[in-house]
């Protein structure tokens, strides 16, 4: 095994690429083993000069799979969520409630660490009841796993190690390169030594492991480093995004830039990226809980336990309740229940609560529900179109099956939700400026990197003492390598130093920034990253519309507009608010209801002849009986009738004339009460203008005009209670008002009229005006 040792940015990857290219030119296959996020970087570096054939970048886990697959030693895999579920099953004694997901995760991490270091259940020291419990759970976990016939991730490593040490395996590569790791564990080193007996192996590390001598020792290359302080985290984030935009304008490739931030700060940059128009790419692998369908399912699973406005808004039927809860700042079952009763949604709320509780849970569905938890889970998944048609559906149901092995009733929902949060989705990030955590930055170098929020405690390897085995009972790496069996290594070995030193070398030029204070008070800079006396942030050109000085808020242009020929009803809308009338004509109309489609088809029919009646009955079966009942009246109407005078035009739903009497009909929504239907027609201008026109025009010689509001599926209602027999003063005034509105309309005057109509305006953001409330 050839070992290259050197600090970060010493050229280890460059040296290994030279070795790899030597083998590739000889038509040999090369396996490059690195970190998952290093794959694209290695391929870019390897193909900078020309295309290559025979290079394959693998993770450590994929290396074990390939070795075992070539020698027919693979078994079905037990994924991470399945491992947590199996540990939960091993924890459960069969009596009482099942263990919680958090307890299962604690034992899962301990078992994974033991297996990663070759420690079996009997090798764990017995120092207390919890350690003895770990031994028993570990043993039970291995028994259950064997009954499943599966291997977890650590079994593949152990299997590959046995294969290399005990036989002559078939290996499909002539060279194996291992790069990008800050350290390697005992089993990894043993495996690489065993592998080197069969093929050539090159390994790079920052420091030489005990007992191994490096073949090549490299020294660090100089790195240009700039350090700045910002007043607060927001100004720091904005300055960094300004700097990145400047870099892109100076012909930096997006792949040559990166931003490093602690994981809690990642959403800040993603939120501001749209404002700055930057192609930031989040490199964090998403879990199922981060996908739209996963978020929706989690909201429903957690809703019966603790309803919040965001979880209520996930369901269209409960969205009004969610908006009301958001306005009032209410959360919790009791508060949301009272609010639902207040809004008249108590029945809907209780029905959804019962539906979302799993079988066996108090208040779930109807008494004696025949559904099993799995059937209930499948019904819930298939009831959500976003989930039913997604590619994640099978993964969601696999997590439900794993949860069903452990829990039931309310615990089933909790376990299902917990396992969804453990499930990682396939991650193929697009090209762009990488947004990285410190660990994701390992194994990659860029032209320029911005390390942000460099305050004390923000960056670290998170070395913590184990819950089960204390630090004093663990051994160092040197002693672990000397021992033949597995041992638990020490956890406190100063990994923070390696991480911070590596971060400072992730690019040819590194820019480190930190905020002096946040909302909680002053912040101390990290002494390793920032050093003494950093400079204040230098000014940069504005890179966002909000940074233009002085800021210019949007104002709608209020000049005259050439408007189309109006109808009388257009003038009513224009008189209410010219800006709204103009803007709403540019907005796509919402999908009309069925009765509005019916009314449009009827108006276009002109006459409801029997053939047309049959066609409408087939198209709108909900109105068939009603149309046949009123066929005589409908057939006698002139449908879609138009009147024009002095540039004014109205279109009426229906009109009929009997001698010197005219009846005008307006269709309204089904189920509209009589008073409300009458009020809807009174508010309109078209029917009143038509009545005044008919009574005053000598050609028509009309003495009486009756206005009717006709709810679809209902009976006609006479507006005003009586026919109009003369031209009232109110009608004359209405005609004058229509004429004045037409003159203003013709001038193209478009100005907002803020007031109560703004409450239901669909385009209120166009003018930024608002009325009362």
């Amino acid at each position: 095994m050839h070992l290259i040792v050197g600090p970060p940015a010493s050229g280890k990857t460059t040296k290994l690429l030279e070795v790899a290219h030597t083998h590739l030119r000889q038509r040999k296959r090369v396996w490059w083993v690195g970190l998952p996020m290093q794959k694209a970087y290695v391929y870019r570096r390897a193909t900078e000069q020309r295309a290559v054939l025979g290079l394959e970048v693998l993770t450590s886990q994929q290396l074990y799979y390939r070795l075992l697959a070539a020698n027919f030693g693979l078994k079905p895999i037990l994924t991470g969520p399945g491992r947590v579920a199996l540990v939960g099953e091993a924890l459960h004694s069969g009596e009482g409630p099942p263990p919680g997901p958090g307890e299962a995760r604690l034992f899962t991490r301990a078992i994974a660490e033991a297996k990663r270091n070759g420690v079996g259940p009997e090798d764990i020291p017995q120092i207390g009841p919890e350690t003895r419990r770990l031994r028993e759970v570990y043993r039970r976990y291995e028994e259950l796993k064997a009954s499943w016939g599966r291997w977890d991730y650590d079994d593949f490593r152990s299997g590959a190690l046995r294969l290399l040490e005990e036989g002559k395996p078939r290996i499909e590569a002539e060279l194996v390169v291992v790069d990008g790791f800050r350290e390697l564990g005992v089993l990894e080193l043993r495996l690489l030594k065993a592998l080197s007996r069969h093929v050539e192996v090159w390994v790079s590390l920052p420091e030489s492991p005990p007992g191994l001598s490096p073949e090549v020792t490299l020294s660090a290359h100089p790195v240009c480093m700039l350090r700045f302080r910002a007043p607060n985290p927001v100004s720091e984030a904005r300055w960094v995004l300004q700097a990145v935009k400047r870099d892109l304008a100076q012909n930096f490739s997006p792949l040559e830039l990166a931003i490093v931030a602690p994981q809690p700060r990642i959403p800040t940059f993603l939120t501001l990226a749209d404002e700055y128009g930057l192609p930031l790419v989040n490199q964090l692998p998403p879990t199922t809980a981060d996908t739209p369908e996963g978020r929706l399912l989690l909201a429903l699973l957690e809703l019966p336990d603790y309803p919040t406005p965001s979880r209520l808004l996930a369901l269209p039927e409960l969205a009004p309740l969610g908006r009301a809860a958001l306005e009032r700042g209410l959360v919790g079952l009791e508060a949301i229940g009272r609010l639902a009763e207040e809004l008249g949604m108590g029945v809907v709320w209780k029905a959804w609560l019962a539906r979302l509780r799993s079988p066996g849970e108090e208040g779930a569905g109807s008494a004696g529900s025949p559904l099993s938890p799995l059937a209930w889970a499948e019904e819930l998944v298939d009831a959500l179109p976003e989930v039913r048609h997604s590619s994640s559906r099978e993964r969601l149901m696999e997590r439900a099956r794993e949860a069903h092995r452990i829990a039931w009733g309310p615990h089933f929902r909790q376990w299902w939700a917990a396992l969804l949060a453990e499930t990682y989705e396939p991650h193929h990030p697009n090209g762009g400026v990488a947004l990285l955590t410190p660990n994701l930055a390992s194994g990659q170098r860029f032209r320029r990197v911005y390390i942000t929020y460099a305050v004390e405690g923000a960056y670290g390897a998170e070395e913590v003492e184990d819950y089960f085995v204390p630090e004093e009972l663990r051994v160092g790496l040197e002693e672990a390598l000397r021992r033949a069996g597995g041992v638990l290594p020490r956890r406190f070995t100063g990994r923070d130093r390696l991480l911070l030193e590596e971060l400072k070398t992730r690019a040819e030029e590194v820019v480190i920034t930190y905020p002096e204070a946040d909302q909680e008070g002053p912040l101390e800079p990290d002494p390793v990253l920032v050093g003494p006396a950093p400079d204040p942030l230098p000014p940069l050109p504005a890179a966002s519309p909000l940074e233009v000085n002085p800021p210019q808020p949007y104002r709608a242009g209020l000049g005259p507009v050439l408007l189309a020929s109006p109808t009388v009803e257009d003038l009513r809308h224009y008189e209410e608010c010219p800006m709204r009338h103009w803007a709403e004509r540019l907005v796509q109309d919402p999908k009309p209801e069925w009765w509005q489609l019916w009314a449009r088809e009827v108006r276009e029919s002109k006459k409801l002849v029997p053939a047309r009646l049959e066609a409408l009955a087939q198209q709108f079966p909900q109105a068939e009986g009603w149309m046949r009942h009123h066929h005589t009246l409908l057939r006698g109407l002139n449908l879609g009738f138009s009147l024009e005078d002095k540039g004014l035009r109205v279109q009426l739903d229906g009109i009929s004339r009997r001698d010197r009497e005219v009846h005008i009909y307006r269709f309204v929504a089904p189920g509209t009460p009589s008073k409300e239907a009458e009020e809807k027609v009174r508010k309109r201008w078209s029917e009143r203008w038509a009545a005044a026109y008919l009574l005053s025009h000598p050609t028509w010689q009309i003495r009486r005009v009756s206005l009717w509001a006709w709810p679809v599926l209902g009976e006609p209602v006479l507006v005003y209670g009586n026919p109009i027999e003369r031209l009232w003063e109110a009608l004359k005034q209405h005609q004058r008002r229509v004429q004045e509105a037409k003159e203003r309309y013709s001038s193209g005057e478009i100005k907002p009229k803020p007031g109560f109509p703004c409450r239901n305006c669909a385009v209120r953001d166009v003018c930024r005006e608002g009325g009362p409330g």
Side-chain angles (χ1 to χ4, degrees):
M1 185 172 72
H2 307 282
L3 179 63
I4 299 178
V5 171
S10 58
K12 297 189 298 295
T13 302
T14 302
K15 177 65 176 176
L16 291 174
L17 283 170
E18 293 174 1
V19 175
H21 278 297
T22 301
H23 284 71
L24 293 172
R25 284 193 292 269
Q26 297 172 10
R27 305 295 183 182
K28 294 181 179 180
R29 294 186 64 177
V30 176
W31 284 350
W32 188 292
V33 182
L35 300 166
M37 53 280 191
Q38 199 183 8
K39 180 176 289 189
Y41 170 75
V42 172
Y43 279 133
R44 285 202 307 273
R45 289 287 307 274
T47 57
E48 281 177 346
Q49 303 300 325
R50 58 188 177 277
V52 296
L53 182 65
L55 175 67
E56 190 170 3
V57 182
L58 308 172
T59 65
S60 296
Q61 203 67 38
Q62 289 171 329
L63 170 66
Y64 311 146
Y65 297 160
R66 297 295 291 273
L67 290 172
L68 291 166
N71 295 274
F72 307 102
L74 279 181
K75 285 190 178 182
I77 188 171
L78 181 66
T79 60
R83 192 173 192 167
V84 175
L86 201 61
V87 170
E89 188 176 351
L91 274 167
H92 191 214
S93 62
E95 299 178 0
E103 184 182 13
R105 289 192 189 102
L106 177 66
F107 278 82
T108 300
R109 285 194 292 269
I111 293 171
E113 183 192 28
K115 298 192 70 172
R116 187 165 58 247
N117 293 283
V119 176
E122 64 286 347
D123 299 324
I124 295 176
Q126 300 188 55
I127 56 174
E130 284 298 277
T131 308
R132 286 192 291 272
R133 190 168 173 231
L134 173 61
R135 290 166 61 104
E136 292 303 317
V137 172
Y138 189 175
R139 185 179 294 108
R140 175 66 176 152
Y141 164 78
E142 290 295 328
E143 292 171 357
L144 289 171
K145 182 162 57 67
S147 68
W148 276 31
R150 293 188 179 188
W151 273 0
D152 59 27
Y153 297 125
D154 298 299
D155 290 327
F156 286 94
R157 182 192 298 107
S158 302
L161 179 57
R162 286 194 303 271
L163 174 71
L164 293 170
E165 290 182 338
E166 297 174 0
K168 294 183 178 180
R170 179 173 178 266
I171 302 174
E172 297 174 340
E174 286 81 20
L175 171 67
V176 176
V177 175
V178 181
D179 180 47
F181 297 93
R182 286 196 290 272
E183 61 179 343
L184 292 172
V186 176
L187 290 189
E188 283 88 353
L189 288 171
R190 282 180 54 191
L191 186 141
L192 293 175
K193 285 181 180 179
L195 183 61
S196 67
R197 293 198 289 268
H198 306 281
V199 296
E200 188 176 353
V201 177
W202 283 76
V203 180
S204 74
L205 286 171
E207 297 176 354
S208 178
L212 294 179
S213 300
E215 184 170 318
V216 180
T217 302
L218 302 173
S219 57
H221 294 166
V223 174
C224 177
M225 196 169 302
L226 302 174
R227 299 175 173 92
F228 301 112
R229 66 179 189 271
N232 55 66
V234 175
S235 60
E236 176 198 28
R238 288 188 172 278
W239 184 88
V240 168
L241 294 177
Q242 287 176 333
V244 170
K245 196 160 189 178
R246 175 206 59 193
D247 296 341
L248 292 174
Q250 294 175 349
N251 293 326
F252 273 74
S253 165
L255 298 177
E256 296 174 331
L257 299 170
I259 299 174
V260 179
Q263 187 166 339
R265 299 284 300 162
I266 296 290
T268 302
F269 288 96
L270 294 175
T271 301
L272 292 172
D274 286 340
E275 178 189 330
Y276 285 85
L278 289 174
L280 293 192
V281 181
N282 184 9
Q283 302 284 341
L284 282 172
T287 66
T288 299
D290 299 320
T291 63
E293 56 270 17
R295 283 195 297 269
L296 174 59
L297 185 57
L298 275 178
L300 299 188
L301 291 175
E302 295 168 350
L303 183 62
D305 295 325
Y306 192 70
T308 62
S310 61
R311 291 169 184 167
L312 292 167
L313 290 169
L315 285 169
E317 291 184 45
L318 296 179
L321 182 60
R323 286 191 289 269
L326 188 62
E327 291 173 2
R328 303 189 191 188
L330 297 178
V331 295
L333 271 173
E334 186 177 349
I336 298 297
R338 287 199 303 266
L339 179 61
E341 294 293 341
E342 179 185 330
L343 299 177
M345 298 183 64
V347 175
V348 177
W349 168 238
K350 290 175 183 176
W352 268 105
L353 273 184
R355 182 180 182 185
L356 292 176
R357 289 191 169 107
S358 58
E361 188 175 350
E362 184 179 352
S366 57
S369 173
L371 286 178
S372 69
L374 279 182
W376 171 85
E378 189 161 10
E379 185 181 85
L380 179 62
V381 166
D382 290 339
L384 305 170
E386 301 91 335
V387 181
R388 183 174 67 246
H389 301 300
S390 75
S391 59
S392 302
R393 183 189 181 281
E394 186 51 40
R395 280 196 293 277
L396 301 179
M397 287 307 303
E398 181 64 25
R399 301 293 86 80
R401 286 188 283 271
E402 291 166 352
H404 183 48
R405 291 179 61 96
I406 313 161
W408 54 91
H411 306 289
F412 173 73
R413 285 190 294 103
Q414 294 165 9
W415 265 96
W416 192 11
L419 293 179
L420 291 178
E422 296 276 345
T423 305
Y424 284 92
E425 294 285 314
H427 185 48
H428 305 289
N430 298 324
V433 178
L435 189 55
L436 305 166
T437 61
N439 284 330
L440 291 177
S442 293
Q444 304 181 71
R445 291 200 80 221
F446 304 86
R447 277 185 64 188
R448 183 173 291 164
V449 160
Y450 294 86
I451 301 175
T452 65
Y453 206 74
V455 301
E456 269 192 340
Y459 293 102
E462 299 179 356
E463 294 180 321
V464 293
E465 188 166 7
D466 185 26
Y467 171 75
F468 296 99
V469 181
E471 188 72 5
E472 59 267 21
L473 294 181
R474 293 166 172 263
V475 301
L477 181 60
E478 185 173 359
E479 184 178 351
L481 288 172
R482 285 202 307 265
R483 295 190 183 184
V487 291
L488 291 174
R490 290 200 181 105
R491 289 191 167 200
F492 293 93
T493 59
R495 293 181 181 87
D496 285 0
R497 176 183 59 83
L498 287 174
L499 174 66
L500 296 178
E501 291 299 329
E502 182 185 72
L503 273 181
K504 292 194 297 183
T505 61
R506 289 303 85 202
E508 300 169 12
E509 181 178 332
V510 177
V511 182
I512 301 174
T513 62
Y514 85 97
E516 295 181 292
D518 61 9
Q519 292 179 336
E520 297 179 358
L523 296 170
E524 291 296 326
D526 188 295
V528 178
L529 288 175
V530 177
D535 298 324
L537 292 176
L540 289 174
S544 157
L546 298 181
E547 294 174 350
V548 177
N549 192 22
Q552 298 293 330
Y554 173 77
R555 292 290 179 187
L558 302 180
V561 175
L562 183 61
L563 297 170
S565 178
T567 65
V568 171
E569 213 55 39
D570 288 336
L571 296 177
R572 178 174 72 85
H573 289 294
Y574 176 84
E575 189 69 6
E576 283 183 354
C577 178
M579 175 69 76
R580 177 176 179 177
H581 170 74
W582 168 78
E584 285 187 342
R585 295 166 71 96
L586 307 176
V587 177
Q588 185 177 4
D589 292 334
K591 185 178 180 180
E593 298 183 33
W594 72 267
W595 72 269
Q596 293 171 318
L597 295 173
W598 174 87
R600 186 175 66 192
E601 294 289 336
V602 165
R603 284 192 295 269
E604 293 175 356
S605 300
K606 302 303 181 183
K607 279 289 185 179
L608 199 61
V609 297
R612 185 57 178 158
L613 174 65
E614 293 299 328
L616 287 173
Q618 292 183 6
Q619 188 175 356
F620 302 97
Q622 55 269 67
E624 179 182 4
W626 173 76
M627 286 191 295
R628 295 192 188 281
H629 179 70
H630 292 283
H631 182 236
T632 302
L633 177 54
L634 288 169
R635 189 175 182 181
L637 297 178
N638 289 316
L639 301 168
F641 187 80
S642 294
L643 285 173
E644 294 189 26
D645 181 57
K646 298 179 182 179
L648 293 171
R649 177 175 57 88
V650 295
Q651 186 177 40
L652 307 173
D653 283 354
I655 184 173
S656 67
R657 178 173 181 174
R658 301 166 191 154
D659 297 328
R660 302 180 69 179
E661 181 177 354
V662 169
H663 296 263
I664 299 174
Y665 292 85
R666 173 68 185 177
F667 298 117
V668 296
T672 307
S674 300
K675 292 293 184 182
E676 187 179 336
E678 183 180 348
E679 186 63 26
K680 284 181 179 293
V681 176
R682 284 188 181 188
K683 287 181 179 179
R684 290 172 54 83
W685 282 13
S686 296
E687 285 73 23
R688 282 186 289 158
W689 184 88
Y693 171 80
L694 292 172
L695 289 170
S696 61
H697 203 283
T699 304
W700 283 79
Q701 297 183 358
I702 300 299
R703 292 183 178 178
R704 302 173 66 186
V705 176
S706 297
L707 303 183
W708 297 86
W710 196 351
V712 177
L713 307 183
E715 300 293 330
V717 178
L718 182 62
V719 182
Y720 303 116
N722 292 293
I724 304 172
E725 297 187 354
R726 62 182 184 279
L727 198 61
W728 303 334
E729 183 58 32
L731 285 179
K732 294 179 182 178
Q733 185 178 352
H734 177 63
Q735 285 184 303
R736 289 194 293 270
R737 185 182 180 186
V738 171
Q739 193 61 39
E740 291 168 0
K742 180 179 179 298
E743 292 172 2
R744 287 192 293 274
Y745 185 95
S746 300
S747 70
E749 181 183 89
I750 298 296
K751 289 184 179 180
K753 281 188 179 180
F756 283 103
C758 293
R759 290 176 179 269
N760 61 352
C761 178
V763 290
R764 54 183 174 271
D765 286 338
V766 170
C767 66
R768 301 289 181 182
E769 298 285 351

